Amino acid sequence: MTNRNTSSKMDYDVRGHLTEVRAGLPDGVRLVAISKYHPNEYIEAAYAEGQRIFGESHEQELRQKHETLPKDIEWHFIGHLQTNKVKYIASYINMIETVDSLKLLREIDKHAARNNRVIDVLLELHIAEEETKYGLTPDACRQLLADGEWRKLEHVRICGLMMMASYVDDENRIRSEFCLARNLFDEIKAQYFADKPSFKERSWGMSHDYPIAVEEGSTMVRVGTAIFGPRVY
Ligand SMILES: *Cc1c(COP(=O)(O)O)cnc(C)c1O
């Protein structure tokens, strides 16, 4: 088990595990190191190995890490984002991967504009059978795009889709969920973003399923435990 209270000595081999994960990723698949609940020294160890993209799921924790860690880190937000928290991350966030409503998209646009920025976002799909309030069903995703208001939001840029597969052992089931997401990506790309090279990201694959995700067309894997070890909540 990891011990978060050690002050100087790393007791978990972050570098070794990071190297292992990287070795399994083909060129062109980016690694988002999911550092939620892990201390700064773990992030610094990965940073020292050249890792620059990190993902966090809580606004306050992210804010503290952003303030204390190197400024060239690219932060991705991967948790459920309440609209009233957007203002706290709008000045620095590199990508918000979890947009699942027009309301949230509007709020991000508003605060990006105030910061003179364009914020990259992904639309979060809900495909897994697990109960969750978050994510757009494929039809809700189609609906949001068909509605068209997103086109007027000049301070957000929709760069692709994000999803989590069911947390199961059944590899075929996981594969078929990635495949469904991939097909939806292709459909949406053709219908709305054919002329936009920036719409290119398929964010799927976590510690237990990223090798399958990569086979099923992921461009960005979000890996936490396999790099940093178990989270201590
Ligand atoms: C925590 C989290 C991850 C990383 O999960 P691991 O199993 O630790 O790799 C990836 N994506 C999202 C959305 C998460 O919340």
Side-chain angles (χ1 to χ4, degrees), residues 32-38 55-57 78-80 97-98 124 162-164 167 203 205-210 221-227 229 231 233:
V32 182
I34 304 300
S35 49
K36 64 190 184 194
Y37 295 101
H38 292 293
E56 289 281 336
S57 59
I78 58 144
H80 175 64
E97 298 202 17
T98 43
E124 179 183 359
M162 178 275 212
M163 60 83 81
M164 274 184 273
Y167 195 81
S203 175
M206 301 163 54
S207 290
H208 67 285
D209 60 15
Y210 73 88
V221 294
R222 308 179 310 271
V223 179
T225 310
I227 298 171
R231 287 180 282 276
Y233 295 102

Side-chain angles (χ1 to χ4, degrees), residues 38-53:
H38 292 293
N40 281 3
E41 65 173 333
Y42 281 36
I43 300 174
E44 284 161 350
Y47 182 91
E49 290 297 301
Q51 181 66 29
R52 290 294 179 273
I53 313 177

Side-chain angles (χ1 to χ4, degrees), residues 139-184:
D139 276 340
C141 184
R142 291 185 180 101
Q143 192 62 50
L144 186 153
L145 291 165
D147 167 78
E149 185 185 327
W150 60 275
R151 292 180 197 276
K152 294 182 232 147
L153 306 176
E154 292 178 351
H155 294 269
V156 287
R157 184 167 72 160
I158 300 174
C159 296
L161 304 177
M162 178 275 212
M163 60 83 81
M164 274 184 273
S166 296
Y167 195 81
V168 293
D169 291 328
D170 180 356
E171 198 182 303
N172 290 328
R173 162 109 171 257
I174 294 171
R175 197 177 289 282
S176 73
E177 291 176 359
F178 288 143
C179 188
L180 206 152
R182 172 68 198 252
N183 289 340
L184 187 62

Side-chain angles (χ1 to χ4, degrees), residues 17-70:
H17 288 95
L18 176 65
T19 303
E20 225 170 276
V21 170
R22 278 181 174 163
L25 297 177
D27 287 347
V29 176
R30 292 195 293 159
L31 174 62
V32 182
I34 304 300
S35 49
K36 64 190 184 194
Y37 295 101
H38 292 293
N40 281 3
E41 65 173 333
Y42 281 36
I43 300 174
E44 284 161 350
Y47 182 91
E49 290 297 301
Q51 181 66 29
R52 290 294 179 273
I53 313 177
F54 292 87
E56 289 281 336
S57 59
H58 294 96
E59 182 278 320
Q60 273 198 343
E61 182 179 352
L62 171 57
R63 198 187 329 173
Q64 281 163 6
K65 287 174 173 173
H66 166 70
E67 279 168 11
T68 49
L69 288 160

